[in-house]
Amino acid sequence: MATKLTAEKPEHADAIERVLARAFGPGRYAKTSERVRERGAVLEPMLTRVAINDGGDVVGVCRIWRVEAGDASLFFLGPLAVDPSEQAAGLGLALVRDAVAACRASGGNGIVLVGAERFFRAVGFTRVPLGKLSMPGPVDPARFLWLELRPGGLDKAHGAFRAPKR
Ligand SMILES: CC(C)(COP(=O)(O)OP(=O)(O)OC[C@H]1O[C@@H](n2cnc3c(N)ncnc32)[C@H](O)[C@@H]1OP(=O)(O)O)[C@@H](O)C(=O)NCCC(=O)NCCS
C-alpha cells in the first residue's frame, strides 16, 4: 500500500469534504458530534491525519479537535472516514493509530469520540463512565468512548464540553 498519512493542510479541504460525503452520505450534519464541533471546538490540523494514495488523491481523514471539559483540555476525534473504494484494507485503523500517536506526542490528556466500540477498542478506547461527560445532544452510551494519553490525564475531565480558551 503506497498510501501515506500526513497532517492536514489547507489545500486538502475540498477533497476531505468529498471523502466525507462519499463515506457518510447525507445526514452527516445531524450527528451530535457535529454539535461539539460547531460549538467552538478548535481544529488541530497538525494532529489530524489525512491519507493520500499513490495517485495523490485524499482517500481518508481522521480529524482531531481541541475542547475543554471540567478542568481538563481534551481532544475530540472525528469525523473518521475512508473513501468507499479503499475501505477494509486497514486504512481506517492506521489513520486512528497515527492521529492518537500525534495527540500523545503533543502532551495531551485524553481523546473522546463517538464511534463503534468494536473498532476503536483495538486502539485502547473504552466507554466513558456514565454521567462523567455530557454531549450537546443524544448519544448512545455504548458509542461514547475515550482514551487516556497519560496517567491521570482524564481525572479532571467532567461535565459538558466547552470551547477552549485560546
Ligand atoms: C469506519 C471506517 C473509517 C473504517 O475504515 P476502514 O479502512 O474500512 O477500516 P479498517 O480496514 O482499518 O478496519 C479495521 C477493522 O475494523 C472493522 N470495522 C470497520 N468498520 C467498522 C465499523 N463501522 N464498526 C465496527 N467495526 C468496523 C473492520 O471489519 C476491521 O476488522 P477486521 O480487521 O477484524 O476485519 C470506514 O468504513 C468508513 O469510512 N465508514 C463510513 C464512515 C463512518 O462510519 N465513520 C465512523 C466510524 S465509527
Side-chain angles (χ1 to χ4, degrees):
M1 189 169 71
T3 301
K4 64 177 202 281
L5 308 184
T6 72
E8 179 176 349
K9 299 187 182 67
E11 62 262 33
H12 296 142
D14 290 348
I16 287 172
E17 289 309 312
R18 282 195 291 277
V19 169
L20 292 175
R22 278 168 56 86
F24 283 101
R28 159 182 170 220
Y29 295 104
K31 288 173 178 284
T32 297
S33 295
E34 282 294 321
R35 305 289 86 76
V36 175
R37 298 188 271 267
E38 279 166 11
R39 290 178 186 197
V42 175
L43 181 66
E44 294 281 358
M46 295 299 291
L47 306 179
T48 291
R49 287 294 175 267
V50 174
I52 317 266
N53 70 9
D54 48 11
D57 298 321
V58 171
V59 290
V61 64
C62 176
R63 272 190 166 142
I64 298 290
W65 306 76
R66 198 155 42 86
V67 293
E68 288 180 8
D71 295 317
S73 174
L74 300 173
F75 295 121
F76 190 73
L77 184 155
L80 165 69
V82 170
D83 193 87
S85 65
E86 311 258 351
Q87 285 178 7
L91 198 48
L93 215 44
L95 279 163
V96 173
R97 284 193 203 285
D98 219 54
V100 167
C103 289
R104 183 173 278 121
S106 80
N109 292 317
I111 308 176
V112 183
L113 62 83
V114 179
E117 190 176 15
R118 196 168 67 81
F119 180 81
F120 286 101
R121 203 168 39 205
V123 192
F125 283 86
T126 57
R127 289 187 195 186
V128 176
L130 276 180
K132 186 89 168 140
L133 292 173
S134 63
M135 288 282 284
V139 61
D140 177 353
R143 292 173 53 83
F144 194 24
L145 310 177
W146 70 3
L147 172 71
E148 196 163 69
L149 293 174
R150 60 171 188 80
L154 293 170
D155 288 355
K156 293 180 174 170
H158 59 85
F161 295 124
R162 296 186 313 273
K165 295 178 207 83
R166 282 152 208 262

Short mmCIF file of all heavy atoms in Angstrom, two decimals, residues 23-24 80-82 86-94 114-116 118-120 143, ligand 1:
data_model
loop_
_atom_site.label_atom_id
_atom_site.label_comp_id
_atom_site.label_asym_id
_atom_site.label_seq_id
_atom_site.Cartn_x
_atom_site.Cartn_y
_atom_site.Cartn_z
N ALA A 23 -18.30 8.78 2.11
CA ALA A 23 -18.27 7.75 3.17
C ALA A 23 -19.54 7.78 4.03
O ALA A 23 -20.05 6.73 4.40
CB ALA A 23 -17.03 7.94 4.04
N PHE A 24 -20.02 8.98 4.34
CA PHE A 24 -21.17 9.08 5.27
C PHE A 24 -22.50 9.23 4.56
O PHE A 24 -23.53 8.85 5.11
CB PHE A 24 -21.00 10.29 6.21
CG PHE A 24 -20.02 10.06 7.32
CD1 PHE A 24 -18.73 10.56 7.25
CD2 PHE A 24 -20.40 9.35 8.45
CE1 PHE A 24 -17.82 10.35 8.28
CE2 PHE A 24 -19.51 9.14 9.49
CZ PHE A 24 -18.22 9.65 9.40
N LEU A 80 -14.05 10.39 11.27
CA LEU A 80 -13.13 9.42 10.68
C LEU A 80 -13.82 8.85 9.46
O LEU A 80 -14.96 8.38 9.57
CB LEU A 80 -12.85 8.30 11.68
CG LEU A 80 -12.20 7.04 11.09
CD1 LEU A 80 -10.76 7.33 10.65
CD2 LEU A 80 -12.24 5.88 12.08
N ALA A 81 -13.17 8.89 8.33
CA ALA A 81 -13.78 8.33 7.13
C ALA A 81 -12.71 7.86 6.16
O ALA A 81 -11.64 8.47 6.04
CB ALA A 81 -14.66 9.37 6.44
N VAL A 82 -13.01 6.76 5.49
CA VAL A 82 -12.16 6.24 4.41
C VAL A 82 -13.04 6.14 3.18
O VAL A 82 -14.20 5.68 3.27
CB VAL A 82 -11.56 4.87 4.80
CG1 VAL A 82 -10.87 4.22 3.61
CG2 VAL A 82 -10.59 5.03 5.97
N GLU A 86 -11.55 2.42 -0.87
CA GLU A 86 -10.32 1.99 -0.17
C GLU A 86 -10.61 1.39 1.20
O GLU A 86 -9.69 1.19 2.00
CB GLU A 86 -9.39 3.20 0.03
CG GLU A 86 -9.15 4.03 -1.22
CD GLU A 86 -7.81 3.76 -1.87
OE1 GLU A 86 -6.99 3.05 -1.27
OE2 GLU A 86 -7.59 4.28 -2.97
N GLN A 87 -11.89 1.11 1.48
CA GLN A 87 -12.23 0.59 2.81
C GLN A 87 -11.82 -0.88 2.97
O GLN A 87 -11.57 -1.57 1.99
CB GLN A 87 -13.74 0.75 3.07
CG GLN A 87 -14.13 2.19 3.38
CD GLN A 87 -15.61 2.40 3.59
OE1 GLN A 87 -16.38 1.45 3.64
NE2 GLN A 87 -16.03 3.64 3.70
N ALA A 88 -11.76 -1.30 4.22
CA ALA A 88 -11.47 -2.70 4.59
C ALA A 88 -10.07 -3.14 4.20
O ALA A 88 -9.82 -4.32 3.96
CB ALA A 88 -12.52 -3.64 4.00
N ALA A 89 -9.14 -2.18 4.14
CA ALA A 89 -7.74 -2.52 3.86
C ALA A 89 -6.84 -2.07 5.00
O ALA A 89 -5.61 -2.03 4.84
CB ALA A 89 -7.30 -1.87 2.55
N GLY A 90 -7.43 -1.70 6.11
CA GLY A 90 -6.62 -1.32 7.28
C GLY A 90 -6.35 0.17 7.40
O GLY A 90 -5.71 0.62 8.35
N LEU A 91 -6.85 0.95 6.43
CA LEU A 91 -6.54 2.38 6.43
C LEU A 91 -7.20 3.13 7.57
O LEU A 91 -6.59 4.02 8.18
CB LEU A 91 -6.97 2.97 5.07
CG LEU A 91 -6.39 4.31 4.66
CD1 LEU A 91 -4.88 4.35 4.85
CD2 LEU A 91 -6.74 4.59 3.21
N GLY A 92 -8.45 2.78 7.89
CA GLY A 92 -9.17 3.46 8.98
C GLY A 92 -8.42 3.34 10.30
O GLY A 92 -8.17 4.33 10.99
N LEU A 93 -8.01 2.12 10.60
CA LEU A 93 -7.29 1.88 11.84
C LEU A 93 -5.93 2.58 11.82
O LEU A 93 -5.48 3.13 12.83
CB LEU A 93 -7.14 0.37 12.04
CG LEU A 93 -7.21 -0.17 13.46
CD1 LEU A 93 -8.34 0.45 14.27
CD2 LEU A 93 -7.35 -1.70 13.43
N ALA A 94 -5.27 2.57 10.67
CA ALA A 94 -3.96 3.22 10.55
C ALA A 94 -4.08 4.73 10.80
O ALA A 94 -3.25 5.34 11.48
CB ALA A 94 -3.35 2.96 9.17
N VAL A 114 -17.26 9.64 19.52
CA VAL A 114 -18.47 8.83 19.40
C VAL A 114 -18.25 7.89 18.23
O VAL A 114 -18.05 8.35 17.10
CB VAL A 114 -19.73 9.70 19.17
CG1 VAL A 114 -20.97 8.80 19.03
CG2 VAL A 114 -19.92 10.69 20.31
N GLY A 115 -18.23 6.58 18.50
CA GLY A 115 -17.97 5.63 17.42
C GLY A 115 -18.16 4.20 17.87
O GLY A 115 -18.55 3.93 19.00
N ALA A 116 -17.88 3.28 16.95
CA ALA A 116 -18.09 1.86 17.20
C ALA A 116 -17.02 1.32 18.15
O ALA A 116 -15.84 1.36 17.85
CB ALA A 116 -18.06 1.08 15.88
N ARG A 118 -16.30 -1.71 18.92
CA ARG A 118 -15.58 -2.85 18.37
C ARG A 118 -14.37 -2.39 17.54
O ARG A 118 -13.33 -3.04 17.51
CB ARG A 118 -16.54 -3.68 17.50
CG ARG A 118 -16.06 -5.07 17.17
CD ARG A 118 -17.19 -5.89 16.57
NE ARG A 118 -17.61 -5.39 15.26
CZ ARG A 118 -16.98 -5.66 14.12
NH1 ARG A 118 -15.89 -6.40 14.10
NH2 ARG A 118 -17.43 -5.19 12.99
N PHE A 119 -14.54 -1.27 16.86
CA PHE A 119 -13.47 -0.73 16.02
C PHE A 119 -12.41 -0.03 16.88
O PHE A 119 -11.22 -0.31 16.76
CB PHE A 119 -14.09 0.26 15.01
CG PHE A 119 -13.10 0.90 14.09
CD1 PHE A 119 -12.64 0.24 12.97
CD2 PHE A 119 -12.63 2.18 14.35
CE1 PHE A 119 -11.72 0.84 12.11
CE2 PHE A 119 -11.73 2.79 13.50
CZ PHE A 119 -11.27 2.12 12.38
N PHE A 120 -12.84 0.86 17.76
CA PHE A 120 -11.89 1.71 18.49
C PHE A 120 -11.23 1.00 19.67
O PHE A 120 -10.20 1.46 20.17
CB PHE A 120 -12.58 2.99 18.95
CG PHE A 120 -12.82 3.95 17.82
CD1 PHE A 120 -14.08 4.07 17.24
CD2 PHE A 120 -11.79 4.72 17.31
CE1 PHE A 120 -14.30 4.94 16.18
CE2 PHE A 120 -12.00 5.59 16.25
CZ PHE A 120 -13.25 5.71 15.69
N ARG A 143 -21.43 3.95 22.55
CA ARG A 143 -20.57 4.50 21.49
C ARG A 143 -19.79 5.73 21.96
O ARG A 143 -19.09 6.36 21.18
CB ARG A 143 -21.43 4.88 20.26
CG ARG A 143 -22.02 3.68 19.55
CD ARG A 143 -23.00 4.12 18.45
NE ARG A 143 -22.43 5.08 17.52
CZ ARG A 143 -21.68 4.76 16.48
NH1 ARG A 143 -21.40 3.49 16.20
NH2 ARG A 143 -21.20 5.70 15.68
C1 LIG B 1 -15.29 3.15 9.64
C2 LIG B 1 -14.23 3.32 8.57
C3 LIG B 1 -13.48 4.61 8.75
C4 LIG B 1 -13.26 2.14 8.70
O1 LIG B 1 -12.23 2.30 7.76
P1 LIG B 1 -11.58 1.02 7.06
O2 LIG B 1 -10.33 1.47 6.38
O3 LIG B 1 -12.59 0.32 6.26
O4 LIG B 1 -11.24 0.16 8.37
P2 LIG B 1 -10.12 -0.90 8.57
O5 LIG B 1 -9.84 -1.63 7.28
O6 LIG B 1 -8.94 -0.25 9.23
O7 LIG B 1 -10.88 -1.86 9.59
C5 LIG B 1 -10.28 -2.32 10.74
C6 LIG B 1 -11.27 -3.25 11.45
O8 LIG B 1 -12.45 -2.56 11.87
C7 LIG B 1 -13.63 -3.22 11.41
N1 LIG B 1 -14.62 -2.18 11.11
C8 LIG B 1 -14.65 -1.37 10.06
N2 LIG B 1 -15.69 -0.52 10.15
C9 LIG B 1 -16.35 -0.83 11.29
C10 LIG B 1 -17.50 -0.32 11.95
N3 LIG B 1 -18.23 0.71 11.47
N4 LIG B 1 -17.89 -0.91 13.11
C11 LIG B 1 -17.19 -1.93 13.63
N5 LIG B 1 -16.08 -2.43 13.05
C12 LIG B 1 -15.66 -1.90 11.91
C13 LIG B 1 -13.17 -3.97 10.20
O9 LIG B 1 -14.03 -5.08 9.96
C14 LIG B 1 -11.76 -4.37 10.58
O10 LIG B 1 -11.79 -5.50 11.42
P3 LIG B 1 -11.05 -6.84 10.98
O11 LIG B 1 -9.64 -6.44 10.71
O12 LIG B 1 -11.24 -7.71 12.17
O13 LIG B 1 -11.80 -7.25 9.76
C15 LIG B 1 -14.85 3.28 7.15
O14 LIG B 1 -15.53 2.05 6.98
C16 LIG B 1 -15.79 4.44 6.86
O15 LIG B 1 -15.36 5.50 6.39
N6 LIG B 1 -17.10 4.24 7.13
C17 LIG B 1 -18.10 5.26 6.90
C18 LIG B 1 -17.92 6.42 7.85
C19 LIG B 1 -18.08 6.02 9.31
O16 LIG B 1 -18.96 5.25 9.68
N7 LIG B 1 -17.22 6.58 10.18
C20 LIG B 1 -17.34 6.46 11.62
C21 LIG B 1 -16.51 5.38 12.20
S1 LIG B 1 -17.08 4.97 13.86
#
